[in-house]
Amino acid sequence: MSVFDFFRRTELSDRQEAAVMKTFSTLRAHRRSRFRILACIDGSEAGDMAVRFAARFAVSNNCDIIILHVRPIDQGLHSGGLQVRLARQNMIDAGFELPGVKYLKHALDVLKEEGIDVSGWQSATAHENAWGDAAGDTKVEYQSADGRTVVLKLKTAPDVAGGILDQYELGPYNLIILGEPSRWRSEFMSFFDAGIVQTVATVAPCSVLVARNSLEKRGFFICTDGSSRSLQAVRRAAVLATVIGEHVTLFSVAPDEIAKPAAEEAVANAKALLKAMKVDVAEAKAVVGNVLEEIVERGSLYKVIVVTDEGRSRIQRLFKGSLATESVRRARTSVLDVR
Amino acid sequence: MTALTDQHQFNLARDSLLAHEPTVGLTRARRRGYQRYRQFMSNVDLALLWKRRWFIVTMIVGFALMSAPTPSGLTHDGQVVLVMTLMATMLFITEAVPLPAVALLIVVGQVLLLGIDSTTVARSLMTDAVLFIMGSLMLAVAVVKQKLDKRIALAIVRVTGTSVFWICFGITAVCGALASFIGEHTVAAMMLPVGVTLISLTSNDPKKIHNLAAVILFSISFGCSIAGVTTPSGGARNAIIISYWKDFFYDPSDPVTYRYLMDYLTWTLYALPMFLLRLPVVTLLLIFTFKPEISNLSRAVSKLRTQVKLEGPMKPSGWLTIIVFAFVIVGWSVFSTGVGLGTVAIAGAVTYLVLGLVRWEDINSGVNWGIVLLYAAAISLGVQMKETGAAEWFAASLMRGLIDAGMTSTIAFDAASSILTILVSNTMTAGAAVAVLSPIILKMAAVSGHDPLIAGFVTAISSAFGYLTPAAQPAFTIIYASGYLKAKDFFKIGSRMTALSFAVLMLVSIFYWPMLAVD
């Protein structure tokens, strides 16, 4: 072996590379075969609502619910030189739970009220260090005999929105559910400093449901503008509605009379698509008016308003805005932003 | 029924909402595997530019101001130091980079921009004040590790009984008494489990006793906070101001300036009334602001007694810790003028290590060394402000402003210094606020004929009035970690507490300090 061998770039052999890829693709394939819902909670009633929606959407055996509480990492620099983790360690030594543990336990009670009782299920706990925090990340996984999984995860992250998005990276999810925040920022302000729900709703790679107190209402109010992206969203949202036993209403708004035929055509196309899939449409409407106001007003009678995300970047949103985000913000019922 | 029959046709995972792969944006890029993509992405972080935007802005502003024409009466070095101070303040407030990185930038800036020899800069970093901050943090870890909290709590309730008001008063008084000598963050970290014990033994549901939790936890933090100024060892800010007095005004050849060599007992004489006057009011203010749900903690107290009984008598290590600490306090009071506060603190920390009362590993992980570095660099910059004449020039300019505004009396000057310090200390850590502001305020006092000693006390004490946010005070950050409090609770009580503290400070500065200064 010459000295140069130390500097030679080496690679995994094709066989080893294939093994890595196989392990990886097996894991991904398994996850792809599940409908995974990430419900994010913060101990508030809005967080409970997120868990209730997760329970009601996870009706079939291939559904998993992951309940996540992200705890901001203990900051040391403001504590005058003493690491806050010393205080945290002191609390843990004294036998106290971390703040989020209580919220996660409460979420289990909420699930039980919704008919998902994990008390008889197999459970496994995993813990890993994160960000040098005294508590780190903790995960408790419950698995039923028929393969359904409920995971409680207490995660530590420098900021909460970043923690939720990091969690997405760990295993893709079909849907992220968050409770309604106490306030929203304008599109301009959110470019500089958005709240947690707004950040996640804006940049999450998957569909996001912002849950409001609309569990007593019925039906999915699916909005479409006739674009292919929108039709895809209609199709996928209608499947979800059908599986959980909700009726479907299709809706399109034309900003003026000239655009009305296009709106009617959009609704007709969507209806035809769903008919081909054998999904019943309870009602199909095309109206003329202010698009946002019509969606918010008429949709408020339904359990969920479904809007299609335009897929705009944050800078594009700054100039063009986003009807989907505006609907999520202004609606009085839960809104599903489909990606 | 249609829905039910169709349900079997659909697979939610396949037909409904999609779980997009995080890699979806990179399908065009040729790659052999996801791992390689992760490795690539871990080296590319465009968001970092956005995260560091305030750093970039600070640098642009800083270099523009440095290359601007030098104002008359100020040297170019003075201009550079002033701009560096402004840049450090911007970075402290925006936290665009980790705070210790600001300290390192100050060191690099002094060598590269001011052309000072690196050994000289390195020497200016380690002062007695920095040794003191380092030593007291090490002592803090040793004391917290002994778990004396429950015993202290039981001792409190033995005297106060089980009424919420009196227990909170007891907690405030005892935390205050401890925080007068040990750093306020130490006491907060030590007493937090006691507070949480009393709360959790009262009820398991935090929502039902939110106000009680607020009153108990704020009793701890305010006890620590109002007493942090009582003695020089109460907090880093005190040591910093003592170090500035000496650097700025002490002249060994002039006996009149000997008063600027502040000793432990004289400081206490000046600052003690700030604690004693606020102590009885704090609990009343807390009770009136939050109105706790219950008025008697007898259930929690009896459970606490049981827990302490089960732990058995105090261990020798506990007693030894207390004895060593008592010696440290005596050392500060008696020897600090001779050997310095820092040496005593370091000696105490070494004693704990030698006696095996704390492990070095615990100290290493419990102390935030970045803060030590931060204070060292900030003090060093303060000294440069004096050396280059920047502090004097800036102080004279500000004074002209105050004179134009008609604020020439001592009261107006004290009030203006206090308000300025309160504003700054609500945006950054108190020690850093004192380190940045003191050189200017002390020079202003000297230029305008006010007593720098009183100006120093006003600055040090006002820097403890940052009550509005959880990050404003070390003790606040620690009780916030319990998870029982919300940020708005801090604002609710903090605004009242700031007004109260400001009024008390003004009274003390008008009526009490002039009497001492004459002596």
Side-chain angles (χ1 to χ4, degrees):
Chain A
M1 190 171 70
S2 75
V3 174
F4 294 105
D5 286 341
F6 287 107
F7 302 99
R8 184 163 295 145
R9 188 169 169 275
T10 54
E11 290 184 344
L12 287 178
S13 71
D14 285 346
R15 204 162 58 93
Q16 287 164 321
E17 180 73 37
V20 170
M21 291 307 293
K22 191 178 174 191
T23 314
F24 173 71
S25 57
T26 311
L27 181 70
R28 288 276 153 180
H30 172 68
R31 290 198 171 162
R32 290 224 152 272
S33 68
R34 316 282 306 167
F35 187 74
R36 291 159 61 80
I37 302 173
L38 183 68
C40 308
I41 59 166
D42 61 353
S44 64
E45 284 177 11
D48 289 355
M49 194 54 67
V51 177
R52 287 187 197 282
F53 264 99
R56 299 206 181 175
F57 282 7
V59 286
S60 57
N61 282 343
N62 68 342
C63 295
D64 296 338
I65 299 175
I66 294 87
I67 298 170
L68 175 73
H69 174 76
V70 181
R71 195 170 59 82
I73 189 169
D74 290 330
Q75 297 285 342
L77 286 166
H78 293 293
S79 62
L82 203 67
Q83 301 282 24
V84 182
R85 69 162 171 257
L86 191 73
R88 170 74 65 209
Q89 193 66 51
N90 214 8
M91 299 258 301
I92 294 171
D93 291 349
F96 294 111
E97 292 169 337
L98 292 164
V101 174
K102 209 161 265 173
Y103 305 152
L104 290 170
K105 284 183 177 169
H106 176 67
L108 275 190
D109 295 337
V110 174
L111 279 184
K112 197 172 178 180
E113 284 169 25
E114 292 293 325
I116 301 179
D117 185 3
V118 300
S119 50
W121 297 13
Q122 269 191 341
S123 72
T125 308
H127 179 267
E128 60 186 32
N129 293 327
W131 304 97
D133 189 86
D137 289 355
T138 308
K139 179 172 100 166
V140 185
E141 186 169 340
Y142 298 92
Q143 194 157 33
S144 72
D146 53 11
R148 296 181 74 177
T149 308
V150 170
V151 178
L152 303 182
K153 177 133 189 185
L154 181 61
K155 193 175 173 68
T156 309
D159 74 304
V160 178
I164 295 171
L165 295 167
D166 278 353
Q167 183 63 30
Y168 184 87
E169 293 273 324
L170 288 178
Y173 298 91
N174 299 73
L175 176 63
I176 296 179
I177 306 183
L178 306 125
E180 188 194 12
S182 52
R183 68 167 180 169
W184 294 89
R185 286 176 192 276
S186 69
E187 201 65 65
F188 180 75
M189 288 306 292
S190 72
F191 187 76
F192 301 98
D193 183 22
I196 297 161
V197 175
Q198 202 166 353
T199 305
V200 175
T202 310
V203 300
C206 68
S207 306
V208 176
L209 177 88
V210 174
R212 293 185 172 89
N213 192 1
S214 62
L215 284 170
E216 303 308 317
K217 298 174 185 170
R218 301 287 297 166
F220 271 43
F221 185 76
I222 305 179
C223 307
T224 176
D225 60 2
S227 64
S228 61
R229 179 190 277 268
S230 170
L231 284 179
Q232 284 287 333
V234 168
R235 184 166 69 85
R236 296 192 177 281
V239 170
L240 179 64
T242 309
V243 172
I244 65 173
E246 295 290 343
H247 63 80
V248 172
T249 299
L250 291 171
F251 185 67
S252 185
V253 191
D256 46 42
E257 283 296 338
I258 303 166
K260 196 174 181 192
E264 281 168 349
E265 190 187 345
V267 170
N269 285 346
K271 195 173 178 182
L273 174 74
L274 295 188
K275 191 179 174 190
M277 293 165 61
K278 294 180 184 160
V279 173
D280 283 348
V281 176
E283 199 178 353
K285 285 185 255 186
V287 297
V288 177
N290 181 301
V291 180
L292 180 63
E293 281 173 12
E294 289 293 338
I295 291 176
V296 169
E297 280 303 318
R298 291 173 188 259
S300 62
L301 302 171
Y302 294 81
K303 181 179 270 182
V304 175
I305 296 177
V306 179
V307 287
T308 313
D309 198 82
E310 295 93 342
R312 288 184 184 142
S313 71
R314 293 181 95 173
I315 293 180
Q316 285 173 324
R317 280 163 191 267
L318 194 61
F319 297 106
K320 293 183 181 172
S322 162
L323 180 66
T325 311
E326 277 300 312
S327 312
V328 171
R329 179 186 310 170
R330 300 259 303 269
R332 296 191 294 276
T333 184
S334 305
V335 181
L336 175 62
D337 184 0
V338 180
R339 290 186 169 87
Chain B
M1 280 313 289
T2 321
L4 284 175
T5 47
D6 285 346
Q7 185 175 329
H8 302 291
Q9 296 172 9
F10 295 124
N11 177 343
L12 269 185
R14 189 191 62 214
D15 303 320
S16 182
L17 308 173
L18 285 178
H20 300 286
E21 282 289 342
T23 51
V24 75
L26 264 166
T27 43
R28 283 185 211 149
R30 287 191 63 195
R31 60 178 198 279
R32 281 188 67 188
Y34 181 64
Q35 292 303 323
R36 186 164 295 170
Y37 159 68
R38 297 293 305 164
Q39 192 187 10
F40 173 72
M41 284 310 285
S42 67
N43 294 315
V44 179
D45 186 7
L46 291 176
L48 188 69
L49 273 182
W50 179 247
K51 277 187 212 156
R52 296 277 181 264
R53 63 194 183 278
W54 283 112
F55 178 75
I56 297 166
V57 169
T58 306
M59 289 296 136
I60 293 171
V61 168
F63 286 108
L65 288 176
M66 275 182 206
S67 49
T70 309
S72 63
L74 184 67
T75 60
H76 180 67
D77 280 355
Q79 183 188 4
V80 172
V81 172
L82 269 185
V83 175
M84 277 173 65
T85 311
L86 174 74
M87 290 166 78
T89 311
M90 283 172 77
L91 292 176
F92 284 151
I93 293 173
T94 57
E95 295 187 19
V97 288
L99 291 186
V102 184
L104 301 176
L105 279 172
I106 291 174
V107 175
V108 174
Q110 287 190 45
V111 176
L112 295 185
L113 300 172
L114 293 171
I116 305 170
D117 180 50
S118 66
T119 314
T120 316
V121 174
R123 206 174 281 150
S124 74
L125 289 176
M126 195 43 91
T127 60
D128 184 60
V130 178
L131 269 188
F132 165 76
I133 293 165
M134 209 159 77
S136 54
L137 288 174
M138 293 198 261
L139 287 175
V141 177
V143 173
V144 174
K145 283 279 164 194
Q146 296 308 319
K147 310 241 182 299
L148 301 170
D149 46 4
K150 281 184 189 157
R151 293 177 196 282
I152 296 172
L154 200 59
I156 295 172
V157 293
R158 276 205 185 116
V159 178
T160 61
T162 57
S163 128
V164 169
F165 176 83
W166 287 109
I167 287 183
C168 289
F169 180 78
I171 290 175
T172 312
V174 170
C175 286
L178 290 171
S180 301
F181 301 104
I182 326 174
E184 54 196 83
H185 38 63
T186 319
V187 182
M190 202 164 82
M191 296 298 284
L192 177 63
V194 173
V196 179
T197 305
L198 288 175
I199 297 163
S200 60
L201 290 181
T202 305
S203 168
N204 283 328
D205 186 356
K207 282 178 191 160
K208 282 186 191 159
I209 46 159
H210 172 258
N211 293 347
L212 176 74
V215 170
I216 291 178
L217 292 175
F218 277 121
S219 297
I220 295 175
S221 65
F222 279 131
C224 298
S225 155
I226 61 172
V229 288
T230 313
T231 69
S233 56
R237 63 174 90 87
N238 310 350
I240 291 171
I241 208 99
I242 289 175
S243 139
Y244 278 147
W245 275 327
K246 187 181 169 193
D247 287 340
F248 280 42
F249 303 109
Y250 173 62
D251 178 3
S253 61
D254 183 3
V256 179
T257 61
Y258 286 6
R259 64 196 287 264
Y260 296 113
L261 280 181
M262 180 60 63
D263 65 83
Y264 202 86
L265 292 176
T266 312
W267 175 292
T268 312
L269 204 60
Y270 270 87
L272 189 62
M274 279 306 296
F275 171 53
L276 294 181
L277 288 175
R278 283 185 292 171
L279 177 62
V281 191
V282 167
T283 314
L284 280 174
L285 198 62
L286 281 170
I287 298 276
F288 280 116
T289 306
F290 290 105
K291 299 183 182 64
E293 293 83 355
I294 55 166
S295 60
N296 198 307
L297 290 177
S298 51
R299 188 166 155 236
V301 169
S302 61
K303 286 183 187 167
L304 184 72
R305 282 195 63 162
T306 318
Q307 287 185 4
V308 176
K309 287 274 177 205
L310 287 173
E311 280 181 15
M314 195 149 89
K315 290 179 189 136
S317 62
W319 286 113
L320 212 51
T321 307
I322 294 171
I323 291 168
V324 172
F325 207 87
F327 273 112
V328 171
I329 292 172
V330 172
W332 275 330
S333 322
V334 182
F335 306 116
S336 64
T337 8
V339 297
L341 284 168
T343 319
V344 177
I346 296 280
V350 170
T351 313
Y352 278 129
L353 282 166
V354 171
L355 293 176
L357 295 171
V358 65
R359 294 179 308 151
W360 174 252
E361 288 74 16
D362 291 333
I363 288 183
N364 199 23
S365 63
V367 173
N368 192 335
W369 301 103
I371 280 286
V372 179
L373 202 58
L374 181 73
Y375 288 151
I379 292 172
S380 161
L381 191 64
V383 171
Q384 283 307 324
M385 282 189 73
K386 179 213 159 199
E387 298 286 325
T388 56
E392 198 162 352
W393 178 84
F394 193 65
S397 313
L398 274 183
M399 265 326 287
R400 276 198 295 277
L402 282 184
I403 290 166
D404 290 347
M407 299 174 76
T408 49
S409 66
T410 310
I411 304 167
F413 177 78
D414 289 348
S417 319
S418 173
I419 290 169
L420 179 67
T421 316
I422 293 170
L423 288 177
V424 175
S425 60
N426 267 301
T427 56
M428 59 165 110
T429 56
V434 168
V436 170
L437 280 180
S438 305
I440 295 163
I441 291 178
L442 291 180
K443 275 291 174 191
M444 268 169 74
V447 167
S448 61
H450 297 113
D451 187 356
L453 219 52
I454 289 182
F457 275 115
V458 168
T459 313
I461 292 171
S462 303
S463 74
F465 296 170
Y467 295 129
L468 301 182
T469 62
Q473 294 259 344
F476 284 7
T477 313
I478 288 169
I479 59 160
Y480 189 56
S482 70
Y484 279 97
L485 300 173
K486 293 177 182 154
K488 66 180 180 191
D489 295 332
F490 287 87
F491 191 83
K492 192 174 171 186
I493 183 73
S495 47
R496 297 170 192 199
M497 195 60 196
T498 308
L500 168 79
S501 301
F502 180 73
V504 173
L505 175 64
M506 286 299 112
L507 287 176
V508 169
S509 73
I510 295 166
F511 296 111
Y512 178 64
W513 287 341
M515 290 194 294
L516 295 177
V518 170
D519 297 336

